[in-house]
Amino acid sequence: MLGFHLLRSSISSSNLFSNFSAKTHLFSLLSISRLSNTNPRLQMECYSTSSETSRILIRQLFEKDSSTYTYLLADVAHPEKPALLIDPVDKTVDRDLSLVKELGLKLIYAINTHCHADHVTGTGLIKGRVPGVKSIISKESRAKADLFVEHGDKIYFGDLYLEVRATPGHTLGCVTYVTGDGSGHPQPRMAFTGDALLIHGCGRTDFQGGSSSQLYHSIHSQIFTLPNDTLVYPCHDYKGFTVSTVREEKQYNPRLTKDEETFKKIMENLNLPYPKLIDKAVPANLVCGLQEPIGNAA
Amino acid sequence: MLGFHLLRSSISSSNLFSNFSAKTHLFSLLSISRLSNTNPRLQMECYSTSSETSRILIRQLFEKDSSTYTYLLADVAHPEKPALLIDPVDKTVDRDLSLVKELGLKLIYAINTHCHADHVTGTGLIKGRVPGVKSIISKESRAKADLFVEHGDKIYFGDLYLEVRATPGHTLGCVTYVTGDGSGHPQPRMAFTGDALLIHGCGRTDFQGGSSSQLYHSIHSQIFTLPNDTLVYPCHDYKGFTVSTVREEKQYNPRLTKDEETFKKIMENLNLPYPKLIDKAVPANLVCGLQEPIGNAA
């Protein structure tokens, strides 16, 4: 766990910097430089795939076969431009790493929202290609990784961070990563919801420790409590949508707008086919996408 | 041409509002309200799919079969939230109109960057479904539409506008739509490049009046002269990229970084197959995507 640039602290803390001396696991890999950000936050409702500050870079990338979105995030105001990838896919690792290189970023983390059943993660391949990259997944996923996160943790990249919110229900180990709300963080906030909350949908709950009741409560307590203009970036979309907002999902999600009992019935009656890749993907994803993990992924 | 909320004026004008009394075709469909925007522009390089102001809404939408991106733009600070769709696809009209409705937008324009050969435009269907929507395409496309634009025109939606830049070469009538640079407009600017400039690629030049020499000059003179951080939003991507920037394309586009002679040779030797849908799509797209145009599309 050495070199772990991740902060375990309470989500409810309003001042992230006051936490630097508070808890364990803080070994800053990168020097800290902080730019004064005097950009006033407009009070207007936005909806756009945007941030008012220029500190963060975000790139959404799509893998067509599994309809998976991978997200590249970086603190481009930091001298080292530290970056992370959320939910990389094995097939598109070349594309993703090429983009990282072109943008002059320093990739430090390859992160999964959960142990996927529909595609093989690119995490292990990335670790084999970019020395120093650490894989991250939730402790509850029971998958292998360099670093394990729990509800309330903060994953720092430069002066920005992602807050970890446990959102189990699709799988037992599902988490949502949410951008911070401190100075320099993007406004509106962005929630990378994995397969918990999809755009006008949600992940299925019939395997891998799934529970419709748990998913209902996860989304309502951990995602729908975020500000209405929070941008929802899911792990998949099958209709060509790229982003939604908490407001839109609270208003229009055909499953989550129902009461819990109705939601549970909907989820019990989806009659979805057995996932094509599950028998290959899950065993592989339990070890960073590789049957034989490279380096310290084991 | 009545009710044409579009301004024909010089691109080089630095003050867009001074043009309101200058030229023809100005019939404001919507009342004007202007918010004071004191949001300072950060000088930092950004790269992100973002704007610092919250006035604009942008949603990128994907049609998987033809790998086409449709863009929904709106001025959400305007009381009527006037919106436009760039390059809608016939297959995804339901999806797009449903989103427009959910967001409470007033769709006023359905716009094409050119007469497409690989998919059928949704413009005609949209006009049949949403009364009052006007179709727009370039005059040089020789396609039918309610309104025809030329290089230098501005297409207003609320207090925002798109500037029209002629970028022929893929077809004779290709244009690039660029967000304005006045107060309240998004920073960085956004260029909707159609099939002229693609991410690390460009449109083919072997049919529909295409010319590799013309395309080379169009991109260099009309797109690469935009600020480096301008976001490039193309009509297609086949590798899962969603956005690029002028800087990245100037630096890394494998075709456009070459000199003109090399570029022409590359384009002459692509040996691409005859587009599957061209014999259906082009005749349809010449009449808004419908063999029998609805309403005043004829």
Side-chain angles (χ1 to χ4, degrees):
Chain A
M1 298 286 273
L2 286 180
F4 188 177
H5 189 209
L6 185 148
L7 186 60
R8 186 144 295 158
S9 62
S10 163
I11 280 182
S12 63
S13 169
S14 61
N15 185 340
L16 73 103
F17 301 122
S18 67
N19 291 319
F20 268 84
S21 60
K23 297 213 177 176
T24 56
H25 304 310
L26 181 64
F27 292 86
S28 180
L29 283 170
L30 300 158
S31 64
I32 302 290
S33 80
R34 193 151 297 131
L35 292 181
S36 162
N37 182 352
T38 54
N39 205 5
R41 181 177 176 180
L42 298 182
Q43 294 308 307
M44 203 180 304
E45 187 69 31
C46 176
Y47 301 108
S48 93
T49 56
S50 70
S51 73
E52 284 160 21
T53 57
S54 290
R55 216 186 159 89
I56 199 167
L57 170 149
I58 170 168
R59 286 289 170 91
Q60 186 174 30
L61 300 150
F62 188 62
E63 197 286 307
K64 221 169 168 175
D65 294 340
S66 59
S67 294
T68 299
Y69 284 122
T70 296
Y71 298 92
L72 173 65
L73 274 67
D75 180 352
V76 287
H78 190 283
E80 298 204 36
K81 297 187 181 177
L84 55 84
L85 279 164
I86 299 175
D87 289 331
V89 179
D90 61 347
K91 291 178 186 175
T92 42
V93 160
D94 284 347
R95 174 198 67 186
D96 300 349
L97 293 183
S98 166
L99 182 61
V100 166
K101 191 177 173 192
E102 284 185 5
L103 293 171
L105 308 178
K106 179 184 169 72
L107 189 64
I108 58 171
Y109 295 131
I111 299 181
N112 280 296
T113 51
H114 64 292
C115 182
H116 307 278
D118 58 349
H119 68 272
V120 176
T121 179
T123 307
L125 290 173
I126 290 168
K127 282 175 52 64
R129 298 265 297 276
V130 188
V133 170
K134 302 283 180 198
S135 56
I136 297 182
I137 201 164
S138 77
K139 193 176 170 187
E140 289 76 9
S141 71
R142 297 176 196 170
K144 293 195 176 182
D146 296 314
L147 308 171
F148 298 100
V149 285
E150 289 179 84
H151 183 85
D153 285 350
K154 287 174 178 167
I155 301 169
Y156 276 85
F157 53 111
D159 291 342
L160 302 176
Y161 69 87
L162 290 175
E163 170 190 308
V164 180
R165 294 190 172 210
T167 49
H170 168 63
T171 74
L172 204 62
C174 284
V175 296
T176 290
Y177 298 110
V178 186
T179 55
D181 58 359
S183 169
H185 281 88
Q187 281 298 342
R189 296 176 81 176
M190 301 171 183
F192 302 93
T193 54
D195 287 9
L197 179 63
L198 304 176
I199 297 174
H200 291 16
C202 63
R204 62 196 289 178
T205 54
D206 55 341
F207 56 73
Q208 278 187 284
S211 155
S212 57
S213 173
Q214 199 175 38
L215 183 61
Y216 191 85
H217 287 284
S218 289
I219 293 172
H220 277 274
S221 69
Q222 298 304 319
I223 302 175
F224 283 179
T225 51
L226 286 162
N228 276 333
D229 62 354
T230 304
L231 298 165
V232 172
Y233 284 113
C235 183
H236 301 286
D237 192 84
Y238 305 96
K239 292 181 181 169
F241 292 108
T242 55
V243 70
S244 183
T245 60
V246 164
R247 164 171 289 125
E248 283 161 79
E249 295 313 312
K250 277 159 82 173
Q251 262 189 294
Y252 298 112
N253 189 300
R255 298 178 186 172
L256 274 308
T257 44
K258 304 290 192 296
D259 61 56
E260 185 180 345
E261 285 313 305
T262 313
F263 177 78
K264 282 161 70 176
K265 274 184 200 139
I266 293 170
M267 297 310 288
E268 277 160 23
N269 291 290
L270 291 178
N271 297 317
L272 294 169
Y274 190 71
K276 273 186 287 188
L277 281 183
I278 190 169
D279 295 323
K280 180 187 172 201
V282 171
N285 290 336
L286 285 169
V287 286
C288 281
L290 300 170
Q291 293 299 345
E292 292 178 16
I294 288 170
N296 54 359
Chain B
M1 299 286 271
L2 288 178
F4 188 177
H5 190 205
L6 185 149
L7 187 60
R8 186 144 295 158
S9 63
S10 162
I11 280 184
S12 62
S13 169
S14 60
N15 184 340
L16 71 104
F17 302 122
S18 69
N19 291 319
F20 267 85
S21 61
K23 295 214 180 178
T24 56
H25 306 309
L26 181 63
F27 291 86
S28 181
L29 284 170
L30 299 159
S31 64
I32 301 291
S33 79
R34 191 152 299 128
L35 292 180
S36 162
N37 181 351
T38 54
N39 203 6
R41 181 174 174 179
L42 297 183
Q43 294 308 306
M44 201 182 301
E45 187 70 32
C46 175
Y47 300 111
S48 94
T49 57
S50 73
S51 72
E52 286 161 20
T53 59
S54 293
R55 215 186 159 90
I56 200 166
L57 170 150
I58 171 169
R59 284 291 168 90
Q60 187 174 32
L61 299 149
F62 187 61
E63 197 286 307
K64 219 168 170 178
D65 293 342
S66 60
S67 295
T68 299
Y69 283 122
T70 296
Y71 298 92
L72 174 64
L73 274 68
D75 180 353
V76 286
H78 190 282
E80 299 205 34
K81 298 187 180 176
L84 54 84
L85 280 163
I86 300 175
D87 290 331
V89 179
D90 62 347
K91 290 178 188 177
T92 42
V93 161
D94 284 347
R95 175 197 67 186
D96 299 350
L97 293 184
S98 168
L99 181 61
V100 166
K101 192 178 170 191
E102 284 185 4
L103 293 171
L105 309 178
K106 180 184 167 73
L107 189 65
I108 58 171
Y109 295 131
I111 300 180
N112 279 295
T113 51
H114 64 292
C115 183
H116 306 277
D118 58 350
H119 69 273
V120 175
T121 178
T123 307
L125 290 173
I126 289 168
K127 281 175 53 60
R129 297 264 299 275
V130 188
V133 170
K134 302 284 181 197
S135 56
I136 298 182
I137 201 164
S138 77
K139 194 175 169 185
E140 290 75 10
S141 70
R142 297 177 196 168
K144 293 193 176 182
D146 296 314
L147 307 171
F148 298 100
V149 286
E150 290 179 86
H151 183 84
D153 286 350
K154 286 173 178 166
I155 301 168
Y156 276 85
F157 53 112
D159 291 342
L160 302 177
Y161 69 88
L162 290 175
E163 171 189 307
V164 180
R165 294 190 170 209
T167 48
H170 168 62
T171 75
L172 205 61
C174 284
V175 296
T176 290
Y177 298 110
V178 186
T179 55
D181 58 0
S183 168
H185 281 88
Q187 283 296 343
R189 296 176 80 177
M190 301 171 183
F192 302 92
T193 55
D195 287 10
L197 179 62
L198 303 177
I199 297 173
H200 289 19
C202 63
R204 61 197 289 179
T205 54
D206 56 342
F207 57 73
Q208 280 187 283
S211 156
S212 57
S213 173
Q214 200 176 37
L215 183 60
Y216 190 85
H217 287 283
S218 288
I219 293 172
H220 277 274
S221 69
Q222 298 304 320
I223 303 175
F224 283 180
T225 51
L226 285 162
N228 276 333
D229 61 355
T230 304
L231 298 165
V232 172
Y233 284 113
C235 184
H236 300 286
D237 193 84
Y238 305 96
K239 292 181 182 170
F241 292 108
T242 55
V243 69
S244 181
T245 60
V246 164
R247 163 170 291 126
E248 283 161 78
E249 295 312 313
K250 279 158 82 171
Q251 260 189 298
Y252 298 112
N253 189 299
R255 297 178 186 173
L256 274 309
T257 44
K258 304 290 190 299
D259 62 57
E260 185 180 345
E261 284 313 304
T262 312
F263 177 79
K264 282 160 70 176
K265 274 185 201 139
I266 292 170
M267 297 309 289
E268 277 161 24
N269 292 293
L270 292 179
N271 298 316
L272 294 170
Y274 189 71
K276 273 185 285 186
L277 280 183
I278 190 169
D279 295 322
K280 180 188 171 200
V282 171
N285 290 334
L286 285 170
V287 287
C288 279
L290 300 170
Q291 292 299 344
E292 292 178 17
I294 287 170
N296 55 358

